[in-house]
Amino acid sequence: MAKTIVVKQIGSPIRRPEIQRKTLIGLGLNKMHRTRELEDTPSIRGMVAKIPHLVEIIEERG
């Protein structure tokens, strides 16, 4: 079983740079307080690291 992380959006993309909004969409998030379970890969970790003020890692599984 692959390792996964649960990511929750905690910040609004309003008045944020376009690249940050596109990163949120790339993670599958677009509305406040939504969560996604994503595969724990370096690319996903890098996307989360780019927008730590908009998302948080809730849980690590696997």
Side-chain angles (χ1 to χ4, degrees), residues 14-41:
I14 295 173
R15 296 181 56 100
R16 300 289 180 187
E18 183 69 22
I19 191 71
Q20 292 180 3
R21 283 185 258 150
K22 288 187 177 189
T23 303
L24 271 177
I25 292 169
L27 289 170
L29 300 168
N30 61 350
K31 293 188 179 175
M32 293 287 292
H33 309 294
R34 294 225 174 147
T35 60
R36 286 289 307 249
E37 185 171 350
L38 303 167
E39 195 172 335
D40 191 6
T41 63

Side-chain angles (χ1 to χ4, degrees), residues 4-7 36-38 40 44-45 57 59-60:
T4 62
I5 56 174
V6 178
V7 180
R36 286 289 307 249
E37 185 171 350
L38 303 167
D40 191 6
I44 297 294
R45 288 282 183 162
I57 296 176
E59 183 179 353
E60 297 183 22

